[in-house]
Amino acid sequence: MEAPAAPRDPAESFESPKPFESSESSDFSDFSGSSDFSESSRSFESAPGVEITVTSPEQMRELGRRLATVLRAGDLLMLSGELGAGKTTLTRGLGEGMGVRGAVTSPTFVIARVHPSLGDGPPLVHVDAYRLSGGLDEMEDLDLDVSLPDSVIVVEWGEGKVEELTDDRLRLRIDRAVGDTTDEVRHVTLTGIGERWAAADLSVLAV
């Protein structure tokens, strides 16, 4: 894993991931497409899901900033949603809320990027598992199991790949609004899984 480099300006592409490269992503308009994920065969008690509607990239970043206030070291976040839904935009706001170093951009080419804290909080580990077809075994070189106790780990496209890291995780699904006339409306569904999130009041994020 690599400390964040200065963001570059070229548009995102989907060549094979190459360690130690970086790429800039735009907010909601970079991609189009869809994906289908299934939850791991292992099953854990889930906290009631909370759905939040956001109407702009800035609101998505603000949701990330608010989310930062309820996170702590050892938390695993799994983000899903079609390409261009706003996963990196939300993570950018999360990094701002956590007060970490470096601009949060799509880590597609480096697969994982570490953003150290500028204060006394945990670092943010931002992972893009889009190109990884296997499970945790394919990601073992990232040492996520070693990083997790002391970090907040955010994994885009993580379903079916990183559940073995911990029984406790926060799943965020970002969906485009169906039939809406604007391309910027998103519905974000947050579902806490495991003991860590059983008593968490995620509704505070909608304020």
Side-chain angles (χ1 to χ4, degrees), residues 3 16 31 37 45 60 68 77 101 112 121 131 133-134 138 141 146-147 154 159 164-165 171 196:
S16 298
F31 308 109
F37 297 105
E45 182 178 356
M60 187 68 81
L77 282 67
R101 188 178 70 202
R131 285 283 184 181
S133 58
E138 191 175 352
D141 289 342
V146 176
S147 302
V154 176
E159 264 86 353
E164 295 175 39
L165 281 173
R171 186 175 59 196
R196 158 73 173 98

Side-chain angles (χ1 to χ4, degrees), residues 41-63:
S41 58
R42 300 197 310 170
S43 139
F44 301 99
E45 182 178 356
S46 299
V50 173
E51 183 175 300
I52 299 171
T53 299
V54 299
T55 59
S56 69
E58 178 51 40
Q59 283 193 8
M60 187 68 81
R61 288 176 73 165
E62 177 58 29
L63 176 58

